[in-house]
Amino acid sequence: MSQVGTAAGWEPTIVAFCCNWCSYAGADLAGISRLAYPASLRIIRVPCSGRVNPHFVLRAFQRGADGVLVAGCHPGDCHYTTGNYFTRRRYLLMQRLLEYAGVNPGRFEVKWISGSEGPKFAQAAREITARVRALGPNREMRDEA
Amino acid sequence: MRRIGVFVCWCGANIGGKVNVPAVVEAARTFPNVVYAEDNKYTCSEPGQAAIRSKVTELKLDRVVVASCSPRMHELTFQKTVETVGVNPFLFEMANIREHCSWCTPDKAAATEKAIALVRTAVAKAVMNDPLQPFPIPVTPRALVIGGGIAGIQAALDVADTGIETVLVERDPSIGGVMAQLDKTFPTLDCSACILTPKMVDLARHPKVRLMSYAEVEEVKGFIGNFQVKVRRKARYVDLKNCKGCGDCAAVCPVKVPSEYEAGLGPRTAIYRPFPQAVPGAFTIDKAERPPCVRTCPAGVNAQGYVALVSQGKFKEALAVEKRQNPFPSICGRVCNHPCETECNRGQVDVPVSICAIKRFIADTVYADGSEEPVLPASAKDERVAVVGSGPAGLACAHSLALEGYPVTVFEALPKPGGMLRYGIPEYRLPKAVLDREIDQVRQLGVEIQTNAALGKDFSLTDLKARGYAAVFIATGAHKGQSMGVPGEDATGCVDGITFLRDVGLGKPMDLDGRVVVVGGGNTAVDAARSALRLGARDVIILYRRTRAEMPANSWEVDEAVHEGVKLHLLAAPVAVTVRNGRVAGLKCIRMELGEPDASGRRRPVPIAGSEFDLPAEYVVTAVSQSPDTGFADGVLELRRGGIIAANPVTLQTSVPGVFAGGDAVKGPATVVEAIADGNRAANAIGLYLRAEAPEASAAALADQPQTGKPFTIPKDVAKVPRAVMPTLELSRRRRNFTEVELGLDAEAAMAEAARCLNCGICCECRECERACEPKCIDHSMQDETETIEVGSIIVATGFKPMDPVAYGEYGYRRYPDVITSLEFERMCGASGPTSGQILRPSTGKPPHTVLFIQCVGSRDEGKRGHQYCSKTCCMYTAKHAELVMDRVPGATTYVCYMDVRTPGKGYEEFYRRTSEEYGARYIRGRVAKVQPNGDGLRVRVEDTLAGRPLDVQVDLVVLATAMEPQADSMDLARVLKVGYDADGFFTEAHPKLRPVETNTGGIFLAGTCQGPKDIPETVAQASAAAVKAVALLSKDKLLASPIVSYVNETLCAGDFFCQPICPYGAIEEKELAERIAGRPVTRKVASVNTGLCQGCGACTVACRSGAINLKGYTNEQLLAEVDAVCLK
């Protein structure tokens, strides 16, 4: 497929894993509220942010994603009581693993976005896109085509 | 190869206006496994759904992808559509190209590109989808309601009325909750009890309701339709079935504690019924953990029991309580070292209760008036028991055995019985007449005492056996004085303390003329010194090597000794006795200083080199230590270091079966009460031995019972009262005689002193209630019981508690008696309440002329002290309270300080209008800054924010409308139930608007104020709603559970169970797998998912290192396929 072009030429690809109960609903609300954010962010629905295996994140980087966002319910509000606590702990480890592997940890982020926080979702999407755009295309981990 | 159909929706212009839909369809046709793609104007409409159905049939599609709105909108719609044409709903997949694409992407090209990527991703997942089947789970047709306030009562009645069995668990002794405490209810001013109590009775009589009062839910296992609930039924100590509720027990109970029902305004007894209309109507005994006095007493004497009875003037009964564990109260009341007083909780308020003096008072008083009720021994038994030694240990043992009916003979080496009580403790502390009286009481039980009969000299252990004694208790004490180990100790005029005191006790004529130096710092030394003074010594010095703080003697004895003129010579030790012509001429001493702490924790005295000095003296008494004289053991009895007898610490049995030993002979020098404790213990052990019960069982029966019961907290508002002072003999009358120094308390002082007791155990176990109860339904030995009940659904209705406003120091609650809470005011209004419905100022007991109500105490306060939320009921009940004041106190003025008046409810605004306009309550908008005492009343400073000026209002009574708070332990229950709670601790509903009575845990529903503040009508409505939800669930035979659950690939599972602790539902179980490896049978453990418990979060899948556990519907393979597809460029 050809690269999607804008005036700037390159636009990053960002994979967002959103939990079904809070963040996916937050993204829905952003849409319902017609809040614009970069099209480069694409959502994969998971039941809980705790379902996101670090393997999935690494796979996204291998397949050429320039940034990865994991979004879940606020700590204490997890639909499954404790899932996002595991996400929170994995996030710190994940940052260090990426750094160790030579990937800029700025490409990876975890956010707590509730179903009522449409603006926060749109804002998070804008922020990570801007940051990843500044970092440039992911060349650290992507598989050679 | 799959056969996938893709249907792209225009959603009118919602998608079509931004996304080039035909281009998306075109792209979809190129994706692998896609055999068909088309676009529709509105896919969710009937023509759109019909198109899907016809293409599935026509093209034999096995999977369907719809690209349209959010799956949260229409996933279920399309799943049903494909199911009608034979496609499993879980083979359907959705691409969200509206909310996540067209609506948030202004650029058309970018939106189209994104839509294509999202469809590609959905197709990639669909390829990996497997058909899934929801599975049926059975339902237990029984409901549990937790909490018996109005919410719980209503919910239980509604469920039970449908014919479904209902269990209601209430943790208090009665159901009724806070509503039972209310006087009137707004806005109709209905009497709360009149509308509530009939419901309580209905509940108790309902054939489908099982009421478990005074019980708590401890553990919940299982899942929707199938819960196993462990309920702890707290010991009530009263037989629920037979109690007639007559109240004879409460009439005799000596313990008064604040009544919870009366909000602390009135007292209740330890055996109580919260209120007369309680359901069940049976009484309950309130027991806290064993009080410190009882816990600390070596003999476990029930000090709280006899102190409580003395406070009521029940001296005879108090003596009976004392004598349960201690046959010598009159002796111990004089000489006990009373560790109970050291631990007494009253010491944290002011000074400990003078327990020992009360003990002595009881015994002396009851003996004097002869009103003691004799305790009759049990029927006579055949086995004879010999007790060697007639000190406190021996006599206590003889006493207990005699009460059990055993014939006992006591052998005493000295001419009279009593041991150290007679020959160690001087008469000015323990008069011989007092001693003889209690020894005679032992004799009167049939105990024979043979004096001048020493073991090892006049008879042996073998002789005792030959004479037919079935068991022996050796309690020969520690009568051997230790020497100092310095030269010159054998000189005339030098004697050890034990011998000295024995000679005094034997009445040997002694005339001490000159100076007496007593060496040592224990009780023997002090007794010797004070005796020497009474025997005519000119001058008595106690020489002790450490400081006064380290002296092991009772501090009050040292005080008396100094008071009588004994001089303390501290930090000095003897080096040699100076001898002149065979007689003592003095002591050569050395000064000491304190060094490092030794094994006993006291600092070790170290001699200062070159500091020797001479202390002239005519007599030296060495009271440094004493040890048992166990020469009689003679290789038969095993001994330990220092000559003490080796005995099992629990059974007191020695190395010879049937021979028991206790007291100082086993412990080394100790106290009277420890000796009595050993005597009692030995009697129990001997009884068990003679009845030939298994020794292990005996050990268990004899071991200390574990500490149980709720902890006691010292009330905050206990007034300080000085401790009774023991009257003593004038100093001038103590010389040259052994008249008793302490004179004892009189009845008035003893009762006042007893009233200082805080009743830390709540029930004092005096057992007066047992005697008063005619149906005999009181059992103080009752234990908590747990029971597991099976239910299909749970309704949580645990209610709220009113906030304690003490954090709002500016309002002066607890500092000023005329500042009360709204619940206290409510009780004051109750016709059966502490003031019989009269509104009175607590300080004067007179009606208030002006009453000021402060609203929002703890509500709508974002500071640390309060809560952000509105408690919702306070505006209305305050209006009600203001009306009640003006109705009941003619001419009274009321002020209400408020932030906003909120009256949303039927008839509420009208009620408030009436209060302010017709009744004339004065509403002041503003928060109160300070409440201060002023003259006879209180001055309240408040800013009137409408007038924009500060006001000072002089009032007689201030009522605080305190916030509603979750129960203190609501979060613990939330964890047990696995339901959510909010930042304040209220349980959270599944959806604030659309699922207000459900929780996120299937099968558990909420009712009433445990979910958030609400008034009675709302609570009742929610309770009925929860009941309907529960009934809807319980009336099904089976439930269909979501198939999105974890599953284990047993071949890959390594059995390390990392998944287990991560699972919030405890759904992962261990399973034994039997296999054959290389022909040999092998078993190994693998994980297994309980699909009834699993909620499908997938946290376990990440924990698994071998990738053996996976989540159906969101497998690793499905998600990785999505990742691959979404990244494709």
Side-chain angles (χ1 to χ4, degrees), chain B residues 462-771:
Chain B
T462 331
D463 293 340
L464 289 178
K465 200 170 180 189
R467 287 190 220 165
Y469 289 104
V472 180
F473 177 55
I474 301 176
T476 47
H479 288 257
K480 199 160 78 178
Q482 298 285 92
S483 65
M484 300 186 290
V486 299
E489 268 186 83
D490 46 4
T492 311
C494 184
V495 66
D496 75 82
I498 296 296
T499 311
F500 174 72
L501 289 172
R502 187 191 304 143
D503 289 347
V504 174
L506 285 168
K508 285 196 185 166
M510 255 189 270
D511 196 12
L512 303 179
D513 188 16
R515 174 186 276 176
V516 180
V517 176
V518 182
V519 182
N523 281 322
T524 305
V526 178
D527 284 347
R530 293 179 69 186
S531 297
L533 215 55
R534 283 166 172 74
L535 290 167
R538 177 167 41 81
D539 197 10
V540 180
I541 292 172
I542 290 179
L543 188 77
Y544 182 55
R545 55 193 181 139
R546 303 185 214 229
T547 70
R548 181 157 174 189
E550 280 90 16
M551 285 178 79
N554 298 334
S555 61
W556 55 93
E557 295 289 339
V558 183
D559 290 342
E560 277 302 315
V562 172
H563 183 57
E564 288 171 1
V566 173
K567 295 190 186 69
L568 301 182
H569 217 117
L570 300 166
L571 285 169
V575 180
V577 179
T578 320
V579 185
R580 201 172 299 137
N581 305 326
R583 258 205 73 86
V584 169
L587 267 183
K588 187 177 279 297
C589 307
I590 187 165
R591 296 199 191 282
M592 313 291 274
E593 61 184 353
L594 292 181
E596 293 301 305
D598 64 7
S600 73
R602 298 177 301 171
R603 293 175 66 190
R604 185 192 303 274
V606 183
I608 304 171
S611 67
E612 289 86 352
F613 64 97
D614 282 311
L615 191 61
E618 279 70 38
Y619 304 92
V620 170
V621 180
T622 63
V624 288
S625 187
Q626 59 212 56
S627 61
D629 190 354
T630 43
F632 54 79
D634 205 20
V636 181
L637 285 176
E638 193 186 315
L639 296 180
R640 294 220 172 98
R641 243 186 83 199
I644 64 172
I645 302 172
N648 178 309
V650 174
T651 62
L652 297 179
Q653 184 145 225
T654 64
S655 54
V656 181
V659 176
F660 298 76
D664 287 1
V666 166
K667 285 191 158 73
T671 59
V672 174
V673 68
E674 284 172 272
I676 292 172
D678 266 10
N680 290 343
R681 186 184 286 259
N684 281 334
I686 290 169
L688 289 166
Y689 169 79
L690 293 178
R691 289 191 294 277
E693 288 173 22
E696 305 80 48
S698 333
L702 292 167
D704 289 330
Q705 294 306 308
Q707 178 68 32
T708 54
K710 57 182 177 184
F712 173 80
T713 38
I714 299 171
K716 292 190 182 105
D717 42 5
V718 181
K720 293 188 178 175
V721 180
R723 174 177 155 121
V725 179
M726 171 63 75
T728 51
L729 193 68
E730 278 171 50
L731 210 50
S732 59
R733 296 171 62 192
R734 298 188 195 178
R735 285 258 161 187
R736 291 247 163 214
N737 70 64
F738 278 78
T739 313
E740 189 172 20
V741 169
E742 297 193 338
L743 303 174
L745 301 178
D746 61 21
E748 197 185 338
M751 284 171 71
E753 183 58 23
R756 294 177 67 238
C757 173
L758 298 174
N759 285 310
C760 309
I762 306 185
C763 169
C764 68
E765 302 198 326
C766 66
R767 303 200 171 183
E768 285 296 292
C769 50
E770 229 172 58
R771 304 206 307 181

Side-chain angles (χ1 to χ4, degrees), chain A residues 1 4 13 28 41 51, chain B residues 70 100 113 1101 1114 1116 1129:
Chain A
M1 299 292 289
V4 179
T13 301
D28 278 2
L41 183 128
R51 173 67 186 95
Chain B
S70 170
H100 290 187
E113 190 60 43
T1101 61
Y1114 293 93
N1116 293 333
K1129 293 193 173 156

